[in-house]
Amino acid sequence: MNNQVFWNPVLETLPRETLQQLQLKKFKRIFEWAFTHSKFHRSIYDAAGITPDDIKSLEDIKRIPKVEKSMMRGIQCKDPFPYGDALCVPLEEVSTFRQTSGTTGQPVYQADTWQDWEWWSECWSYVLWSQGYRAKDRVFIPFGYNIFVAFWAGHYAAEKLGCEVVPGGVLDTQSRILKIQELRTTAMMATPTYILRMADVAKNKMGIDPASLSINRITCAGEPGAGIPSTKKRMEDAWGAKVFDHSGATEIGAWSFECESQPCGMHVNEAMFLVEIEDLDTGEIIEEPGKKGKMIITALDRMAQPCIRFDSKDVIEWDSEPCSCGRSFRLIKGGVIGRSDDITKVKGVLLSPGAIEEVVRSINGLGDEFEIVVDKQGDVDRIKLKVELLPGTPRTSIENKLKDRLRLKTNLGYLIEYYDYGSLPRYEVKSKRFKDLRKKSMSEKECRL
Ligand SMILES: [Zn+2]
């Protein structure tokens, strides 16, 4: 099995038409399941006048109402406590509680049964296998597992593949680096922010070159960094390892992965998920490649608390090219480009924090950390970009390059502030580098929901 290219050679190479037939069949099953077992789902489908008999093609799915995170917040803490009536199984069958990280408001609770938990590890097995994890790997997970889903399912999937897993939870960064060195671990899973942070601590605090350690592959999740070429390059250079992107979410599952061919994008696991991309302005479903929109996603096999046409707010676009690895699962170009909440207009121009990150990380002499603050000066929008100069880098060698690249990439001007290396906040898990102060009242309102 270790020589096998695909985790599931049948499903990952299905011809498009057969794959779509499978998706339709699975969609009808999960829709009927939720329609029958969840009062929450039944009420929104009844209100839209739609029943399982109405779903005869993938086209019909577009008529089904979407589910927003706020709707899930609205039902939780009601019966059956604490999940509310989206729960499709008796409470005694629930085996695990998780919650969303709540970066944009009140967390959403998520119930999983043992069957769902097996499903989680299966989704993650596609991810790890496609990135070259095999039984010989010793995998280090520098992360404290808790009520959030990260990196529980990655842990169990690695075990399922036969890897040896080292849970590096209750350790500080320096101890984790020493453990990697001591055990010669070969692979690692973490957020891009933490991968860079660990490299920085190893190099600058401990005098250890991370590239001299035995890590040869890294799976990134939780943030878009591994899909941003300059951030990925920084991580690969620092660790002397291949870095792969992955995206998943508590209320969805592990829906995508970058394979070993590193196509500058991620495959959607279309055997287990149905992804639709919705135009941000018109609400139409985008079929063609090259047009950005927000992801509406269905987990085709998740049973306890189903995820059906969930409005993920992740901004993605289909790639026009198939991947050289041979998988028939479609690619999304550049991974998750951002959140529709974060992609905002400044001076009438669409601004994506990911585009700024790509520029900052592409410039030698700038540190890994940065911060973007959008506010108003009078009636005019202003973007402040705070960056750090690495020791020994004169500001004059950076200034014009940074300004020019930013303008070219984003069509906007910036007020750039330079700081000494080590001055900006460091993050252990996910970063909070983008602040839109114009939205302050909105985010306060969101927090109360
Ligand atoms: Zn591929």
Side-chain angles (χ1 to χ4, degrees):
M1 168 141 189
N2 277 331
N3 296 327
Q4 196 174 294
V5 178
F6 306 114
W7 172 249
N8 188 320
V10 175
L11 293 179
E12 289 180 76
T13 55
L14 281 180
R16 187 93 220 129
E17 205 175 306
T18 321
L19 186 57
Q20 287 184 326
Q21 283 166 2
L22 176 72
Q23 288 184 310
L24 178 61
K25 196 175 168 183
K26 284 187 166 196
F27 188 92
K28 285 164 82 161
R29 184 185 62 170
I30 194 71
F31 184 74
E32 185 160 9
W33 168 259
F35 188 86
T36 316
H37 292 88
S38 149
K39 281 188 195 159
F40 164 75
H41 286 92
R42 182 61 176 264
S43 67
I44 56 174
Y45 301 147
D46 279 351
I50 197 156
T51 71
D53 290 339
D54 296 323
I55 313 301
K56 296 190 172 62
S57 68
L58 289 176
E59 191 63 26
D60 293 333
I61 292 172
K62 295 176 186 169
R63 294 174 42 215
I64 298 175
K66 290 176 285 179
V67 171
E68 306 262 349
K69 205 175 215 170
S70 57
M71 294 160 79
M72 300 305 290
R73 286 193 192 111
I75 57 166
Q76 77 187 16
C77 293
K78 295 179 184 158
D79 281 339
F81 183 83
Y83 303 105
D85 56 14
L87 196 67
C88 286
V89 296
L91 203 51
E92 51 268 35
E93 284 184 27
V94 175
S95 61
T96 330
F97 168 89
R98 305 266 179 256
Q99 66 175 54
T100 57
S101 54
T103 45
T104 53
Q106 170 74 21
V108 173
Y109 302 154
Q110 178 72 43
D112 280 313
T113 60
W114 183 251
Q115 182 191 347
D116 287 326
W117 198 242
E118 296 253 324
W119 165 86
W120 259 111
S121 344
E122 180 66 8
C123 309
W124 258 93
S125 297
Y126 282 81
V127 177
L128 297 179
W129 192 268
S130 81
Q131 298 174 352
Y133 286 66
R134 295 295 182 270
K136 64 181 183 337
D137 278 303
R138 182 172 295 141
V139 183
F140 190 71
I141 308 184
F143 196 82
Y145 310 166
N146 54 28
I147 47 174
F148 307 127
V149 81
F151 277 86
W152 285 96
H155 176 121
Y156 286 117
E159 286 187 357
K160 189 168 172 176
L161 264 60
C163 305
E164 180 185 341
V165 184
V166 183
V170 193
L171 297 172
D172 61 23
T173 301
Q174 296 199 21
S175 310
R176 285 170 177 159
I177 289 158
L178 291 174
K179 198 47 86 180
I180 289 170
Q181 191 175 45
E182 177 191 337
L183 296 177
R184 299 180 204 154
T185 53
T186 57
M188 182 159 65
M189 308 172 196
T191 58
T193 289
Y194 195 58
I195 293 293
L196 287 170
R197 169 94 182 118
M198 283 175 91
D200 182 31
V201 169
K203 218 181 294 175
N204 298 315
K205 288 213 170 110
M206 303 169 75
I208 296 174
D209 177 7
S212 72
L213 302 171
S214 45
I215 296 286
N216 56 45
R217 64 192 71 245
I218 295 171
T219 302
C220 285
E223 292 175 321
I228 296 172
S230 56
T231 299
K232 179 183 221 146
K233 188 174 182 319
R234 281 194 176 209
M235 292 190 277
E236 292 199 326
D237 288 351
W239 286 91
K242 288 272 184 198
V243 169
F244 302 101
D245 200 4
H246 158 63
S247 186
T250 315
E251 59 277 64
I252 301 170
W255 58 273
S256 63
F257 55 84
E258 182 179 18
C259 66
E260 270 197 302
S261 301
Q262 292 189 305
C264 298
M266 289 195 291
H267 288 281
V268 172
N269 184 339
E270 294 184 284
M272 301 179 85
F273 297 89
L274 176 73
V275 163
E276 303 165 79
I277 305 179
E278 187 186 279
D279 189 293
L280 291 173
D281 296 321
T282 66
E284 298 286 312
I285 297 299
I286 299 167
E287 308 285 357
E288 70 272 25
K291 210 169 164 204
K292 292 181 183 57
K294 67 176 172 174
M295 179 172 78
I296 310 298
I297 188 164
T298 301
L300 296 167
D301 311 282
R302 193 173 195 179
M303 308 306 277
Q305 195 173 317
C307 166
I308 300 174
R309 298 208 82 220
F310 178 68
D311 183 351
S312 73
K313 311 248 187 270
D314 283 332
V315 176
I316 57 172
E317 65 176 286
W318 293 118
D319 202 329
S320 54
E321 300 297 321
C323 186
S324 61
C325 70
R327 284 177 180 81
S328 51
F329 293 169
R330 277 181 294 179
L331 287 173
I332 51 168
K333 199 175 175 182
V336 173
I337 301 156
R339 303 270 308 157
S340 57
D341 304 336
D342 283 350
I343 295 182
T344 178
K345 280 193 173 174
V346 177
K347 295 177 187 166
V349 177
L350 273 181
L351 170 86
S352 159
I356 300 173
E357 173 173 336
E358 186 173 343
V359 172
V360 171
R361 298 263 172 83
S362 74
I363 292 178
N364 292 332
L366 285 183
D368 294 328
E369 290 304 331
F370 61 92
E371 204 172 284
I372 306 157
V373 183
V374 179
D375 63 4
K376 271 192 183 297
Q377 198 175 33
D379 285 339
V380 184
D381 292 334
R382 177 175 67 170
I383 320 169
K384 212 183 279 177
L385 173 63
K386 303 176 182 181
V387 292
E388 284 184 356
L389 288 168
L390 290 180
T393 307
R395 179 174 157 168
T396 46
S397 68
I398 303 277
E399 271 174 328
N400 288 341
K401 208 187 292 174
L402 178 58
K403 213 182 276 179
D404 292 348
R405 285 191 196 175
L406 282 169
R407 186 165 285 284
L408 207 62
K409 185 86 189 165
T410 67
N411 264 324
L412 287 162
Y414 296 78
L415 174 69
I416 302 173
E417 291 177 356
Y418 290 86
Y419 291 83
D420 289 339
Y421 175 75
S423 314
L424 293 175
R426 261 59 182 162
Y427 300 96
E428 290 291 309
V429 186
K430 290 191 193 187
S431 60
K432 293 186 187 72
R433 300 193 181 96
F434 178 66
K435 289 175 193 158
D436 188 347
L437 300 182
R438 302 168 310 170
K439 280 186 179 174
K440 203 169 173 226
S441 56
M442 195 185 292
S443 57
E444 277 170 6
K445 186 177 158 206
E446 164 110 338
C447 286
R448 285 199 302 273
L449 290 174

